[in-house]
Amino acid sequence: MKPNTKFILWILGAFLFAFIAGRFVTPGPVPAPKPVHAPGRAAAVYVQPIKPSQTSEKDISNIPTISAAPAITSGSPSGAAFVQAPVNRGQQTPTTSDLTISELYQLIESNPKSIANVSFINSENIVRVERVNQLPSLVKVSDVGGKQALLAKLDKSKISFQTVEPKVDPIAKLISENFGTILVLLVIVGFLIYSSRRAAKQMGSITGMGKSRSKDVEKLKDSIAKVTFKDVAGCEEAVKELRRVVKGLVGANVYKEFGAELPKGILLIGPPGTGKTLLAKAVAHETGGSFEVTSGSAFVEMLVGVGASRVRDLFESARKKVAESKKPHIIFIDEIDAVGGKRGGGTGSGSNSEREQTLNQILVEMDGVIGNQGIIIIAATNRVDMLDDALLRPGRFDCHVSVDLPDRAGREAIFAIHIGERLIASDVTLAGLAHRTYGYSGAEIKGVCNRAFILAAERYAGRREALVQSGMSAEQVAAELVKETTMVDFDEGVDFVRYGNPDVAKQGRMKIIDKKNTAYHEAGHADTAVISPDADPVVKITIMRRSKALGYVQTMPDTDRVSITRQQALSRIVMAMAGRAAQEVFLNTVDAGASNDFQQAADMAKRMVTAWGMSRLGPISVGERGEGPFGGGGGHAGFGQDLGNEIDREIRYITSTCYKAAKKIVEANRERIEALVAILMHKETVLADEWQALLKAYPSKIKWEDLTLPEAEFTEEGGK
Ligand code: ADP
């Protein structure tokens, strides 16, 4: 059945239901008394005879309605029917003879026979009096009591009377009589409108599936309005490359003169938060063009063809935009690896072929962007090795720009950008901040600053409040307080970004034994961190609980590291293993708290074996086992089962040997660890200076050379 026919049947059904429901909801017709036929009158009407003796005030106002008819008959009080003069019920015919209620009373007493009929108009205090050979009169009765008194008099004088309905507006009557039906109908019609709108919406979302999900260009205008290359720091190479693109897009194009083609697609490669989106926005702003941001995952649907259609839509609207505005249009595709992974492998499932179709469409569209059309596609990924080769070919994403974690100078510059014009305390230096944030991305540095400003603002507000309460004027308070952010604020920001919020309440409720457990665990990490000659110095040891950790040992290199030696890798694994080793040696406890350490150790060992050639397996580099083109199983493993087993064995060998080494270190340095645990139990945190003093007071009783560490085949060639 067609949806339209179904819909019409639905409506008809609903109306039928409404009608039937209405019949039940509406009060049924009043049981009619027997009709009394008036001779000579064609119409029969129903009259409710009323007996004064039974009539109460309520009864009178509740006299049943008489259906409309040109004439009526009435019952006498005794119930006998007799013919009445025609009364146009509901019509208050104008009268020529006025009659007051007292005149009517007199008439009833003096000459009852002159009164042919009296009609009480229901729910109104008016009676209609018909006299023999006279025009009818309308008489006002004071109230319901007046009506009753009149009724009694008429009854006594045996004058016939009846009730009639006042004139009713036929529409109002219809509504009042069918109120229930109308109500049910309205509800049903409302429901139908609501469901048809919902259906239309759903249809719309189905038909709109193929529409690009990129963020609205207009809405992004504000976000790019202020972004320039000056707002990005720590990635000079990327800025240089993108400035080149901007130059080629606007103004005199020297590249054209030389017949040089600018890249259509630029691939920004780097971890999250390093400023890739920011760079793309800066390009859009500097070219005066528009900016559209989407993500690889926004193209991926289970339905085959939807992603491809979204890609078409994205490029179509970009072309329109450029044609209309005559300005460049920047499309930024974040996480392109979600859709641009290697093709050809995988299970051939719906989602894989959908991805392949989508990727093909991206390639087709990129090929279609001929010459300098003003469309620049900037994509971001952290897994360039995962991308399909076709995507990286000349004419597509052939311009690769690394946007790595910022180095020390970069971090200083990023801090400078995010601190801006704000006041900072004299103990804060950009160099100091950069030193505390090795390995932090631009976005994390922004987070550090923001946290520090929040803390500074709260401290300022607290002190201002206290000063105002002490009686200082607003001017005095302003002169007394400085709106500055201190190094303590930034320090807290650094920890907040990595380890989360301090959980002071939970910390207070922690049992001593649990605190002790954490203290030995962290002391183990700290103690082993300083054994390796070129290990990074420890800057903080704490058992203060935060949302992401029970405690931690923070190390920071004096100078940024650009690579990692085998010894450094091993020392990191030893350090990671030392938390559990210390718990075992000092408390004879094994708990779940070391799982994250083991993960880190295993990751490092894996990289040593499979990527860095730092194991007994020699200088090999193999991909992820079982990794398909889109991260699924069944792809190119790059190695067979035998090598896989050897890799697993080697990883276990490295981690277990390092664990034994860690145990040896903490056993040798018992005194130092006990001293550190005592301080941690007392004040929870030990900073670099105090730690240095401890190291002097308790020199290590074991050296790196004394340890039995994992062997490597090629130590002669310089693995260490
Ligand atoms: P990505 O796209 O690489 O994940 P974003 O560009 O979204 O990172 O970075 C988020 C925010 O972090 C930016 O808006 C900016 O405020 C800050 N940020 C990141 N990298 C930098 C940088 N290199 N210089 C200045 N600020 C940065």
Side-chain angles (χ1 to χ4, degrees), residues 229 232-246 263 266-270 274-280 282-283 378-379 399-404:
F229 286 126
V232 196
C235 43
E236 291 79 6
E237 272 313 300
V239 170
K240 196 169 149 193
E241 190 59 48
L242 293 170
R243 275 195 191 280
R244 195 170 277 157
V245 170
V246 173
I266 298 156
L267 193 62
L268 302 179
I269 306 159
T274 43
K276 297 181 290 298
T277 313
L278 199 64
L279 279 167
V283 172
I378 301 178
C399 177
H400 297 186
V401 183
S402 165
V403 190
D404 246 322

Side-chain angles (χ1 to χ4, degrees), residues 614-662:
M614 292 179 180
S615 76
R616 289 181 303 188
L617 298 187
I620 56 164
S621 177
V622 289
E624 295 277 312
R625 190 149 31 125
E627 191 177 280
F630 301 107
H636 334 278
F639 54 88
Q641 192 64 39
D642 286 350
L643 183 56
N645 290 341
E646 278 192 65
I647 289 170
D648 286 344
R649 196 161 35 81
E650 198 59 21
I651 292 172
R652 267 208 306 279
Y653 164 70
I654 293 175
T655 50
S656 63
T657 311
C658 286
Y659 183 72
K660 283 180 202 143

Side-chain angles (χ1 to χ4, degrees), residues 489-506:
D489 301 324
F490 283 106
D491 256 334
E492 174 53 30
V494 169
D495 287 358
F496 170 78
V497 165
R498 273 291 151 90
Y499 308 105
N501 232 2
D503 206 334
V504 184
K506 274 194 190 147

Side-chain angles (χ1 to χ4, degrees), residues 69-135:
I72 57 163
T73 52
S74 170
S76 73
S78 57
F82 57 95
V83 180
Q84 297 294 318
V87 177
N88 192 2
R89 282 179 298 145
Q91 291 283 118
Q92 292 172 20
T93 319
T95 172
T96 50
S97 61
D98 282 335
L99 201 63
T100 63
I101 186 73
S102 47
E103 284 167 348
L104 179 60
Y105 278 148
Q106 272 178 13
L107 204 61
I108 293 169
E109 291 212 339
S110 58
N111 189 8
K113 290 207 172 133
S114 68
I115 302 174
N117 183 42
V118 175
S119 304
F120 286 83
I121 297 170
N122 206 1
S123 72
E124 280 180 26
N125 289 337
I126 288 176
V127 290
R128 180 188 167 96
V129 181
E130 284 157 39
R131 283 174 286 174
V132 181
N133 298 329
Q134 282 203 32
L135 284 168

